Amino acid sequence: MSLKLSVLASGSSGNIIYIESDKTSILIDAGLSKKRTEILLNRIGKDLIDIRAIFISHEHVDHIRGIGVINRCYDTLIYGNKDTLSCDKFKKTAGIINPDSLNFIESDESIILDDLKITAFSTSHDSINSQFYIIEHEDKKLICLTDIGHVDSKTLSIIKCADVYLIESNHNVDLLLNGNRPEFNKQRILSKVGHLSNEDCGSILSNCIDETTHSIVLCHLSNDHNSKSIALKSVKKILSENCNFFSNSLNIIVFTQQDDPTDFINV
């Protein structure tokens, strides 16, 4: 029985997560071109033709750029909530989609796809109706959570006690405030519908991980206002000070836009 993942891309230039079980393989988001997606999949020994379905988190172009071309070439199933898959931005970016490929999964709803249980949960982001996903296989649990400005108590209760977390650690607050972005953009990132800071990420994880958690992937790092070393140091510090389940054996991987796909992580 196996469940594993590889982060193919994460950040403002494009987002794709590959997940594979014994019987199926899926993507969460398709934020790069079809050609680039094929290249990245080939680097981990996989092919787009074998992808059963793509689960969409929200309609921002860095999450759906390749969705239309992939669907037209491979007739890949597409899952997302009705608001996202029906909105003008999704339709404009995707272009012609086979209507029989579209499937709705709403927040707090679970579906079974082959041997995977996939549960959607609502996230706080400046899109029409963003959501991310919990992936379960047998007794293994993976949480995918990026593009979120705030985690409320309901979401926190949903995402507790997973084996693996793939979570946003977008920015260092001081670097962002002292950066050269327009003020409105800084405030958008810092808002409850923006992105999680390193400190936010560490605090959320401190309240979620337990003795079963063995791996954490920090994703969606800002190119301008963060770095691998800053994110890792910040998250580790908060976990070590606030979480009884933190240990140096915890596998924490930091992924940036410049990286090749991660090695496979067994959930």
Side-chain angles (χ1 to χ4, degrees), residues 198-209:
N198 297 329
E199 290 75 20
D200 292 332
C201 175
S203 178
I204 291 162
L205 288 170
S206 293
N207 287 286
C208 287
I209 69 172

Side-chain angles (χ1 to χ4, degrees), residues 38-54:
E38 288 173 330
I39 289 170
L40 293 173
L41 280 169
N42 288 341
R43 287 182 183 171
I44 60 169
K46 304 299 175 180
D47 196 288
L48 258 178
I49 198 171
D50 299 318
I51 300 299
R52 179 91 158 87
I54 301 172

Side-chain angles (χ1 to χ4, degrees), residues 23-237:
K23 295 183 179 180
T24 197
S25 57
I26 64 171
L27 300 179
I28 296 182
D29 289 328
L32 295 174
S33 69
K34 168 183 163 291
K35 181 177 181 180
R36 184 63 181 159
T37 303
E38 288 173 330
I39 289 170
L40 293 173
L41 280 169
N42 288 341
R43 287 182 183 171
I44 60 169
K46 304 299 175 180
D47 196 288
L48 258 178
I49 198 171
D50 299 318
I51 300 299
R52 179 91 158 87
I54 301 172
F55 286 78
I56 299 299
S57 61
H58 61 292
E59 77 280 5
H60 290 171
V61 69
D62 57 320
H63 293 259
I64 63 168
R65 184 177 283 109
I67 193 73
V69 181
I70 292 171
N71 174 260
R72 290 190 290 276
C73 288
Y74 297 103
D75 204 25
T76 311
L77 297 175
I78 299 170
Y79 285 83
N81 61 54
K82 186 175 182 179
D83 287 343
T84 297
L85 300 188
S86 303
C87 75
D88 289 342
K89 190 168 184 178
F90 179 85
K91 292 178 179 178
K92 182 178 179 180
T93 302
I96 298 171
I97 291 275
N98 177 359
D100 293 333
S101 300
L102 295 175
N103 299 271
F104 297 138
I105 176 172
E106 303 296 332
S107 176
D108 301 324
E109 181 181 355
S110 297
I111 66 162
I112 302 298
L113 185 70
D114 299 321
D115 57 346
L116 293 178
K117 179 182 178 182
I118 300 154
T119 304
F121 60 96
S122 180
T123 53
S124 178
H125 194 51
D126 58 350
S127 62
I128 189 168
N129 186 10
S130 64
Q131 64 186 25
F132 260 94
Y133 299 98
I134 301 168
I135 313 297
E136 294 175 272
H137 177 262
E138 300 294 336
D139 60 344
K140 301 299 182 182
K141 183 176 179 181
L142 163 65
I143 303 292
C144 297
L145 179 61
T146 70
D147 294 75
I148 183 169
H150 170 69
V151 174
D152 60 21
S153 58
K154 176 184 176 182
T155 303
L156 197 63
S157 67
I158 291 170
I159 64 174
K160 285 189 174 190
C161 307
D163 298 273
V164 175
Y165 287 89
L166 192 155
I167 186 170
E168 176 171 81
S169 191
N170 180 256
H171 59 274
N172 172 276
V173 174
D174 289 338
L175 289 178
L176 175 62
L177 290 174
N178 292 302
N180 58 7
R181 292 194 183 210
E183 187 61 28
F184 77 87
N185 187 256
K186 294 178 184 179
Q187 293 307 314
R188 177 249 171 190
I189 293 169
L190 292 167
S191 75
K192 288 189 174 183
V193 292
H195 292 278
L196 295 178
S197 69
N198 297 329
E199 290 75 20
D200 292 332
C201 175
S203 178
I204 291 162
L205 288 170
S206 293
N207 287 286
C208 287
I209 69 172
D210 68 356
E211 67 275 5
T212 65
T213 307
H214 59 79
S215 296
I216 296 167
V217 187
L218 305 181
C219 289
H220 215 297
L221 271 69
S222 167
N223 279 337
D224 302 322
H225 308 117
N226 211 354
S227 70
K228 283 187 169 185
S229 59
I230 291 172
L232 184 61
K233 182 178 179 181
S234 298
V235 171
K236 274 191 168 183
K237 182 175 186 296

